Amino acid sequence: MRQGFHGRATAWLGGLAFAALLAAGGSAHAGNQKEEEMADSVRLALSNAIADTRPPKPAFRDEAARVRYQQWFTEMSARLKKRLPDELSRTEFLESAWYEATRAGLDPGLVLGLIQVESAYRKYAVSIAGARGYMQVMPFWTKVIGDNDRRKLFHMQTNLRYGCSILRMYIDMERGDLYLALGRYNGSRGRPQYPNAVLAAWKKWEFNPVAVASR
């Protein structure tokens, strides 16, 4: 599935050119999520997900999963060091990103790539449209599924919780089509630039446990 989405995205030359410019400049490309009608059951599920404030402590089904997580953390911490030089902040960020991504059934590398495109890892980034934080969540979401406190979107775990939950909802709405879901997340559904940029960034955060283990 991962390769299928990427293959579809790379067919768009304009999107690839945009992704290359983004990678070279390191700038954020925040979009404008749109408030959409949703079923009460979807709204309730999202509200419950946001309201769950358990700390991001990983739980592993077996020892192999625990070792794989440790390998992932070590590798991602090294890659992220230039962007987040403070070790404590970087540790808290990666623990939360992994927890929220896996909790929502997302690849952590996808989430890291999306954050790179959306905010360039700036915790207090604000777009022209008003989107906030690492995952550039629009403030209206705090009213739709939260407690209407938009200030919380600058809280790391809260921002990641909103962003991952919203992206998961869009993937489900698009019946698993990540390309269209990414466009919907950015408010640009059907246009290639944003999905291609995120898919290109995702490749930079892919994790190969075999390669890590052999070092």
Side-chain angles (χ1 to χ4, degrees):
M1 184 176 293
R2 165 74 175 86
Q3 293 178 343
F5 289 137
H6 183 64
R8 178 179 176 183
T10 53
W12 298 81
L13 296 180
L16 281 177
F18 173 85
L21 287 172
L22 180 71
S27 59
H29 182 68
N32 182 15
Q33 296 154 2
K34 302 183 186 303
E35 187 169 0
E36 304 181 55
E37 292 187 8
M38 63 180 70
D40 289 341
S41 59
V42 174
R43 189 188 306 272
L44 178 61
L46 280 173
S47 297
N48 289 339
I50 297 302
D52 182 1
T53 57
R54 287 175 292 181
K57 298 299 182 183
F60 308 106
R61 62 181 180 274
D62 52 37
E63 180 64 13
R66 185 189 67 80
V67 171
R68 187 179 188 280
Y69 168 77
Q70 290 180 333
Q71 293 173 348
W72 174 87
F73 180 88
T74 300
E75 180 71 11
M76 295 304 111
S77 182
R79 296 185 197 180
L80 196 58
K81 188 173 183 179
K82 289 184 179 180
R83 297 176 184 271
L84 296 177
D86 180 73
E87 184 176 2
L88 178 59
S89 297
R90 189 169 66 253
T91 296
E92 292 177 346
F93 174 84
L94 284 172
E95 288 178 347
S96 295
W98 184 89
Y99 178 84
E100 297 300 340
T102 55
R103 180 179 181 275
L106 304 172
D107 186 316
L110 169 62
V111 173
L112 294 178
L114 186 146
I115 292 171
Q116 177 181 319
V117 173
E118 284 286 349
S119 67
Y121 289 92
R122 292 175 295 167
K123 181 178 181 179
Y124 297 104
V126 179
S127 74
I128 295 176
R132 299 184 175 197
Y134 286 118
M135 296 189 74
Q136 290 292 276
V137 178
M138 289 294 288
F140 71 77
W141 284 110
T142 64
K143 181 179 180 180
V144 174
I145 58 175
D147 58 5
N148 205 24
D149 186 354
R150 60 182 59 190
R151 295 172 300 178
K152 291 181 179 179
L153 294 179
F154 290 126
H155 178 268
M156 178 186 60
Q157 187 184 355
T158 300
N159 187 276
L160 297 177
R161 172 69 54 85
Y162 269 93
C164 290
S165 298
I166 292 165
L167 179 57
R168 177 75 262 169
M169 178 192 71
Y170 285 149
I171 292 173
D172 292 342
M173 289 175 65
E174 297 292 355
R175 300 180 183 275
D177 191 321
L178 179 60
Y179 186 87
L180 293 179
L182 287 171
R184 193 183 285 271
Y185 186 92
N186 178 251
S188 60
R189 185 180 185 275
R191 297 198 293 271
Q193 288 86 350
Y194 180 80
N196 282 351
V198 173
L199 291 168
W202 184 4
K203 289 186 67 66
K204 296 182 179 181
W205 298 100
E206 286 180 329
F207 171 63
N208 185 340
V210 176
V212 173
S214 64
R215 292 179 181 177

